[in-house]
Structure formats: C-alpha cells, structure tokens
Amino acid sequence: MKTTKSGNIRRMRRGVRCGLVSLSLLMLAGEVGAASRLTLESLSNRPDKLSGGDVLIRIGLPTPAAAKRLRVTLNDTDVSAAFRPSSDGRALIGLVEGLRDGRNRLVAHARGAIPARLELVSHPLSGPVFAGPKQEPFVCESAEFQVYPGGGTLGTPLDENCTVQRRVDYLYRTTSGAFRPYNPAVPPGDLAVTTTLDGATVPYVVRLETGTINRAIYQTAVLDNPGVPGPSIFNRDGAWNGRLVYNFGGGCRSGWYRQGNGTGGVLDHRELSRGFATASASLNVFGNNCDDLLAAETMMMVKERFIETYGRPRYTIGWGCSGGSYQQHQIGDNYPGLLDGIIPSCSFPEVAFGTAHTLADSRLLWHYYQNAGVDWTEEQLRAASGFGVFATIPNLDNGAARLDPVPGRPDRASAEFDASVDPSLRYHPTDNPRGARATIYDHAVNSYGIDRETGFARRPLDNVGIQYGLEALNTGQISKAQFLDLNEKIGGMDIDANFISQRMTADLRATFAAYRTGRMLNGGGGLASMPILDYDQLYTDLQPGGDIHLKFHHFSTRERLRKANGHVYNHVMWSGGSNAADDAAYPGRVAYIQDRALEAMDRWLAAIVADRSNRSRAAKVVRNKPANLQDGCWTRESRPDFIPEPQRFGGPGTSACNDLYPAFPSPRMVAGGPLASDIIKCELKAIDHRDYSVAFSGNEYARLTGIFPNGVCNWDAPGVGQTRLLGTWLEYTGVGRYHRDRLPHRR
C-alpha cells in the first residue's frame, strides 16, 4: 500500500491527539488519587526514632466525610478509638499506644480513599535510640533530686535504668515571687496572675511533670489552671502560648557517668510568665553529662514526651549558657528539627575542640613557664598565649582537668568526679586500669571508637608543627631565645595527661570521625537554616582572675557558619556580657538583655512560621529576620542602651563595641591558626624565613629546624582529615560505628 506524505502527517496528528487525551486522563486519575488519599504523619518525632511505646499521629483526610468510615490498625489491632477530629476538621489526631520495641505497622483505611501505611520504630524509654551503647558505669541520683523547692525527692530508683514513677505537681507563683504547691480546693490569697505574649491574663498556676527518660530525670512545665480543660493534644486553654523553650545547663567538669540531680531549670519566670512551656533533663546539664550525642538523644526523647502530652509546639527555642551553648550548636546542626531557633550564651562551638585545644595549650604553657630555660615575664607569656590577662593561663590549666583521666593528682588539677561516682569505679593507671576515665574523649567513646593498643577512646588532640608565640615574636613582644625555648620544651601530654617531651599526635581515625560526625561543629547542617541569636552574657577576657569564657569562641562559631554557608545572615551576635563586678554594679542588667533576646527570637520565629511562600527554610530565616534585630553591643548600665554595629573580632580601637568589650586571640591563633578554630591536626610545610620578622643566625636556624624536623603548620591549607559532614541524623550502632540516617520518608 502506497503511503503519501500528507497521510503520514494526518496519522501523526491523530497519534499526538490520542496521546494528549491519554496523558490528560492519566493526570486526572493522578489528581483524583491524590485527592482521595489518606496520609499518616508522626507528630511525636521521626517515625523511626520513637520511644516508650506510643506515638502522636495525624491522619490527613481527603474529605471530612472520610472520618466516619475510618479504621486504623496497629499491627492488625484496631486503634481507631484513639482518634478525634482536629480543630480545623481536615485531620484526625490521636495518641496511639501499645507499640512494641522494634518495627510496627500503622495502617489507615476509609471507604473510597486510598489507604495510608506508616512504619513506626519504637525504642525503650530507657534508650538508646541513636546514640549507641549506654555509658557504663552509670550512677542513679533520683534520691537526691529535689522536684521543686520543698517538694521532696524522687526517691529510690525502681530498676538499673534509674527509672522512677512519673509524677505531676501543680504549683502557683506567689505575689512575692515564690513557687508553692497549689490546691484548687483552697484558692490561695497570694496567687499571682500573668499576661502571656498572646495577651491572655491568667492565674499563674503551673503543671510540673517529672519522670525519667533515657536514664535522665526530665521535667516539663506549662501554665495550666486545673479548673480549666487543657492544655492537651486536643485542646489548648489559652494560657500556654504554643511555644516551647528547652533549657540546657552548663558545665562539663565532673559531668561523667551519672544521672545528675538537677536539670537546666523549668520553673523559669521569664519563660513561664510569657506563656512559654519549658523542658529540660539532667543529661542536658553538662555538669552531669558531657557528651553532646547523649544530650541530643535525651532532648529528642523529652520533647517527644512533651508532644504526646500537649501536642506539637509551634516552635522550640534552645536556651543555655556555656555547656548549654555546646548543646544548642551541636543538636541544632546535627539533629535538625529538634530546635527551631537557638539563643546560646557564654558561647563555645563545642567542648572537644574549640574549648579543649585552648585548655590543652594553656596547660602546656603553664607547665613550660614553671620549667622554662630562659627568663619570662608574665606579660611576655601572656603575649605568647594571646589572652587578655596572664591569669587566664593558670585558670585554664585548672580547667584542663577535662583532659586528665587520673583523679587525685597532688601536683595539679586532675580528673574530677562528682561524689556520686564511687572511687572504686574511677580509673587509675595501676590501681584500677579498667575504671571510668573522666575525659571528654572517653565520655564520647561511641563517636571516636577505641584504640586497640590502649583500650581507651581514640584521642583527636594534636600540637605537632604549632609555633607557639609566633605573632608575639613577630611583633617584638618576645625574643628569639624565648620563642625557641618555648617551642623546644613545650612538649605534650600522653593518653593519661602526663607531661611528655614529644608533641601530641592526633589519632587519625578519631580526627576523621570528628569532622564527619559533627563532633567538630560544622555549621552547614541544621544551623544553615536556623535563626541564631548569640549573646556573650559573660565578658571575662579582662577579668583579673582569668576565665574560660573567652570572646573569641563566639567568633569561631560565626566563622564556621561563614565557611559552610557563604554567609552569616542567620547569625546575630550581641556583645555586652558581664562579670562579677558588673553584676554587682549594674543589678538586673543581664536579665534585661535576656528578656530582649527571648522576645526577639520569638518575633523572628513567628515571622518564619507565618511565611507561607515556597521559599526554602534557609531563605525564610533570612527574609523574616526583624529589621531591628541586628549585631551590636549593650552598654554598662542597669538599663543598658544598644549600640548597633557589626560584630567583628578585634581589640581596643577597632570599633565602638570592641572598645567596650575587646576580644583576644587563643594560643593557636597567635601561632597563626584560623579564627574558626576548626583544625585538629595541621598540614605541615617547610620552614620559610619569610614567615618571621626577625633574622635567625645559623645556629638559631639549625635549632629551629631541629625543633620542627618535619615542618611547621600550614594554616592556609585544610587540616589533616578535614572533610565534609557525612550528614545529619547519624545513627550509632556500636562504639565507633555510625551511618547515615535511613529514614523512609513514606507517608
């Protein structure tokens, strides 16, 4: 049969029309299918990270009528009765109980709708979920935990996991500012009232819940008049403003192998009076626990318990100073979604590097000073350290107990244990070599792994190639003889923190793990799309007795954010912290600034929530930052003024804020290291005479090359093993074994 060109064209057109019709029908079928589909969502937490055998579920409905024909099963058991309509009528909400440990199958059916299935993985309430094997030994302290002032203790634990019976207390705030037990049958005459951020004026009555989760003691608090229904997962009574503040406690010294007898505080007037709910746990106090991974897991589980009691908060704000800042930074970056905005103060990036490197260098400098081969003045050693005052060197030498596993050394600050940890449990190199080691590395052994040669945690601590005092030499503050003697004799510390003549060499597996897993704060994980308001709160760079809370740490965090994300638009920095003298001279000053910080973060997050655009979360964070929320510093007054000014690292004379609160470098920065403080082990380069403003004689140069036979730090290059973050929501299946999150995002 002969085919004409025009016939071919007609057949092609008919084929195209048929194809378009078929495509339209398929698209319509897809739209109908989507419109008639049920959806399942875990409101408690990620569906594979649940704990305690229950989960708050939202069932999205294609039409309100679907609710009448709905059947929900958990592992083939009908749980439909748990669900009630949401306030908008577009969904059902219910607390599903009876999950078994491990995998569970939740299925929702409705006539005329496509079923929804969701796999749920539940873990024991005592943990672990993702943080790996439990720490041993572990000391329970519920018998010492005061539930509230005058409220007694939690008593003896019920099992080896430190479990106690959950309890609820109602307290009221008196007009004089104290919290007392509340009995609705006998209304107190001194009951205060408060007006929340939403404008509701309510009796100042608080529901305080206390229990144990992940072997930690947790508490939550929320405004709740027991005479009015709610707040609950189905009803909010207008007192709780729908927001949650999670309070993180500070410390680290003595924060080993114990449950702890205090939280970061939940009876906080600043937060409760404004209608915020509060939550905290004993393992979120770094004076009880100094492992950020365990802190993240605990925070996640406590927040899950809160949600299953009151419903999902509009957003969650992190709050805390010092050790509380470590936790906010690392939880925010490594486990995004747990915190929506953070207010770190007395800030550090993390304990294991930003802090530990400065502590280690200070201990070595202080030891050298007492054994130097040439004379030094205090001012000369201060210049070599970079600190604002000489006293910071011995102060941080004392703080370096965090690196020392041996308790009870008579000659220097040594391993510190809380009295709850019996001496028979503590490490000693000869008397108890398998005992618990009080170091930040051994406490985080799940992250770093075990060195088979020693049996202890691998240690990512290094000072090979560091030219201590380099800038002080180049600016004429120390002599060539001092520079050479310092670097020749500074040495290092062995695995038991004994002084040795050799420099310290980092374990490369631990170094690589630190970068990959976020033990070294990266800044490009969850922090990339999170509002951050950093307030120094403590300004101690020039405190006569020295202090660990140094201002350069705030800038280190900012630099890491800049390196990871190309900007710091989501990072606001306020300077103007106080010390003991300021607190006495200007009462109420810090509290005033903290009030402004909480209110500013709330405005920022509220604007982000209200942004219904299709922009990314990171873009919304930047776009919705309040116009009047900016960098600056607060003057020294009880009611301080704010000086708006970009915060940049520098000393006096570099800016108005730096005149008031100058920042000083760390020993590694004086040695040429970066402000980001993010290099664990430096790459080496050949000694180059152009790096020195002084001329070395032949003998001096030979001595210098003998001190650094393999070269000196090349700070312009990335560190050894410095690599990208593997990802967020890492799971730990054993000591030193971790992998990416494998959550199936099915609904």
Side-chain angles (χ1 to χ4, degrees):
M1 178 177 177
K2 187 177 181 181
T3 303
T4 64
K5 181 179 179 182
S6 59
N8 279 332
I9 292 173
R10 285 195 296 270
R11 280 191 289 273
M12 289 173 61
R13 287 173 177 170
R14 285 198 297 270
V16 169
R17 285 197 297 270
C18 290
L20 290 173
V21 170
S22 299
L23 179 59
S24 298
L25 290 172
L26 286 171
M27 293 175 65
L28 180 60
E31 291 173 4
V32 171
S36 63
R37 184 183 298 275
L38 297 169
T39 61
L40 286 172
E41 179 185 6
S42 167
L43 299 179
S44 297
N45 193 8
R46 298 163 74 93
D48 66 332
K49 302 289 191 297
L50 302 170
S51 60
D54 50 14
V55 58
L56 185 62
I57 292 291
R58 181 185 187 275
I59 304 175
L61 302 173
T63 64
K68 299 178 181 179
R69 304 185 297 272
L70 187 71
R71 183 172 182 265
V72 187
T73 59
L74 173 68
N75 301 325
D76 299 323
T77 299
D78 195 314
V79 293
S80 306
F83 290 89
R84 290 169 49 180
S86 63
S87 57
D88 60 12
R90 293 182 296 183
L92 296 176
I93 305 292
L95 182 65
V96 176
E97 299 177 294
L99 276 70
R100 61 197 177 209
D101 287 348
R103 298 182 183 278
N104 299 262
R105 185 179 68 259
L106 188 71
V107 182
H109 298 269
R111 185 182 302 170
I114 298 174
R117 294 173 175 82
L118 183 62
E119 183 177 272
L120 305 170
V121 182
S122 185
H123 304 77
L125 197 62
S126 59
V129 179
F130 61 70
K134 295 178 180 178
Q135 292 182 354
E136 297 295 343
F138 192 81
V139 180
C140 302
E141 294 184 82
S142 56
E144 291 77 45
F145 186 93
Q146 292 286 325
V147 179
Y148 61 88
T153 72
L154 288 173
T156 305
L158 302 177
D159 58 28
E160 69 278 5
N161 289 316
C162 305
T163 305
V164 299
Q165 191 68 39
R166 186 181 296 152
R167 61 179 277 184
V168 173
D169 296 273
Y170 281 91
L171 307 177
Y172 78 97
R173 186 175 170 91
T174 69
T175 51
S176 62
F179 281 102
R180 302 246 168 97
Y182 179 73
N183 182 356
V186 186
D190 59 347
L191 171 62
V193 297
T194 188
T195 301
T196 71
L197 284 178
D198 293 338
T201 300
V202 297
Y204 206 147
V205 180
V206 175
R207 181 187 187 272
L208 176 68
E209 179 176 305
T210 309
T212 47
I213 287 175
N214 208 25
R215 302 195 298 182
I217 298 169
Y218 79 91
Q219 290 191 304
T220 62
V222 63
L223 289 176
D224 181 12
N225 183 349
V228 178
S232 70
I233 59 175
F234 299 114
N235 178 55
R236 292 186 178 172
D237 60 2
W240 176 36
N241 66 21
R243 294 87 137 178
L244 174 64
V245 176
Y246 203 99
N247 289 314
F248 298 92
C252 186
R253 299 169 67 164
S254 79
W256 323 108
Y257 311 103
R258 53 186 291 232
Q259 183 182 41
N261 56 16
T263 73
V266 294
L267 294 178
D268 185 285
H269 176 62
R270 171 181 297 108
E271 296 156 2
L272 291 172
S273 66
R274 290 167 165 80
F276 291 97
T278 59
S280 190
S282 59
L283 294 182
N284 291 121
V285 178
F286 263 29
N288 303 327
N289 159 55
C290 197
D291 177 12
D292 73 279
L293 187 60
L294 182 58
E297 181 178 73
T298 301
M299 187 257 161
M300 176 192 72
M301 296 172 74
V302 171
K303 184 176 178 181
E304 178 185 337
R305 169 62 194 166
F306 178 89
I307 291 171
E308 290 167 358
T309 306
Y310 301 109
R312 182 182 283 182
R314 292 174 60 194
Y315 40 80
T316 302
I317 299 172
W319 181 281
C321 165
S322 191
S325 73
Y326 300 141
Q327 297 175 75
Q328 291 179 75
H329 285 140
Q330 291 185 281
I331 293 172
D333 207 37
N334 298 329
Y335 294 92
L338 295 178
L339 295 166
D340 297 296
I342 60 174
I343 308 176
S345 57
C346 333
S347 183
F348 304 84
E350 74 285 295
V351 66
F353 303 100
T355 305
H357 287 170
T358 311
L359 295 175
D361 292 341
S362 297
R363 172 156 284 192
L364 295 176
L365 284 168
W366 184 240
H367 180 255
Y368 164 77
Y369 183 62
Q370 298 169 82
N371 298 276
V374 297
D375 291 335
W376 287 75
T377 66
E378 290 187 355
E379 173 56 24
Q380 287 172 323
L381 195 69
R382 182 213 63 77
S385 75
F387 300 139
V389 295
F390 173 80
T392 296
I393 302 172
N395 183 288
L396 269 62
D397 164 66
N398 184 54
R402 297 169 175 83
L403 313 178
D404 191 336
V406 184
R409 295 187 196 260
D411 58 332
R412 66 175 185 265
S414 58
E416 298 171 317
F417 284 94
D418 184 79
S420 63
V421 182
D422 191 89
S424 65
L425 301 174
R426 306 175 189 179
Y427 171 81
H428 190 276
T430 56
D431 299 343
N432 191 15
R434 307 301 347 145
R437 291 166 55 89
T439 77
I440 56 178
Y441 310 114
D442 293 282
H443 202 54
V445 68
N446 286 358
S447 299
Y448 298 122
I450 294 176
D451 183 337
R452 292 182 180 178
E453 291 187 11
T454 65
F456 308 139
R458 297 179 180 275
R459 188 179 71 165
L461 184 61
D462 197 283
N463 69 338
V464 173
I466 294 178
Q467 300 185 82
Y468 290 99
L470 177 61
E471 183 181 343
L473 171 70
N474 285 334
T475 55
Q477 295 172 285
I478 64 173
S479 68
K480 291 184 291 182
Q482 289 170 323
F483 174 75
L484 292 169
D485 191 67
L486 170 61
N487 283 286
E488 191 171 54
K489 295 180 178 176
I490 195 165
M493 294 180 288
D494 69 11
I495 197 70
D496 279 347
N498 298 304
F499 293 111
I500 55 176
S501 59
Q502 299 84 17
R503 299 286 184 109
M504 300 173 292
T505 301
D507 183 287
L508 293 184
R509 286 182 61 179
T511 299
F512 186 72
Y515 288 120
R516 293 274 279 172
T517 69
R519 304 285 76 74
M520 163 76 79
L521 181 72
N522 179 275
L527 293 185
S529 55
M530 179 179 291
I532 306 168
L533 174 50
D534 179 305
Y535 166 47
D536 56 16
Q537 185 172 327
L538 295 175
Y539 177 72
T540 60
D541 280 47
L542 296 175
Q543 186 165 293
D547 194 82
I548 192 173
H549 300 95
L550 301 172
K551 192 173 179 182
F552 81 86
H553 290 296
H554 300 257
F555 292 99
S556 295
T557 302
R558 173 167 278 196
E559 284 307 300
R560 296 191 202 178
L561 290 168
R562 192 190 312 277
K563 287 178 65 174
N565 307 313
H567 69 87
V568 290
Y569 299 139
N570 63 319
H571 188 262
V572 175
M573 188 185 296
W574 286 354
S575 297
S578 299
N579 52 35
D582 283 346
D583 290 342
Y586 312 112
R589 176 178 179 273
V590 168
Y592 177 85
I593 299 171
Q594 289 175 324
D595 287 348
R596 307 290 81 75
L598 182 59
E599 292 163 0
M601 180 56 71
D602 182 73
R603 290 195 303 273
W604 196 351
L605 287 169
I608 294 168
V609 169
D611 187 340
R612 303 298 184 185
S613 70
N614 293 324
R615 295 181 179 87
S616 68
R617 167 76 181 185
K620 289 182 180 181
V621 168
V622 174
R623 174 183 172 84
N624 291 287
K625 183 168 68 175
N628 60 352
L629 179 55
Q630 52 190 305
D631 273 15
C633 60
W634 296 86
T635 59
R636 283 191 168 96
E637 300 164 295
S638 292
R639 286 294 178 269
D641 291 327
F642 184 74
I643 302 173
E645 179 182 271
Q647 296 299 282
R648 297 187 176 91
F649 179 82
T654 57
S655 73
C657 289
N658 287 342
D659 284 343
L660 288 171
Y661 311 103
F664 297 88
S666 71
R668 295 195 180 203
M669 291 168 64
V670 175
L675 178 57
S677 303
D678 61 350
I679 291 180
I680 299 172
K681 179 178 181 62
C682 67
E683 290 281 3
L684 300 178
K685 66 174 185 176
I687 293 173
D688 187 339
H689 68 87
R690 291 171 296 184
D691 292 338
Y692 309 95
S693 63
V694 297
F696 292 105
S697 68
N699 288 337
E700 290 169 337
Y701 192 81
R703 187 178 174 190
L704 181 63
T705 56
I707 295 170
F708 299 104
N710 297 314
V712 296
C713 285
N714 178 10
W715 297 111
D716 293 329
V720 175
Q722 189 166 11
T723 186
R724 293 181 179 182
L725 192 68
L726 175 62
T728 60
W729 284 93
L730 300 185
E731 297 183 2
Y732 292 73
T733 55
V735 176
R737 297 201 301 272
Y738 55 87
H739 58 74
R740 289 177 181 268
D741 170 53
R742 295 173 180 171
L743 173 66
H745 295 282
R746 292 184 290 109
R747 286 292 183 267

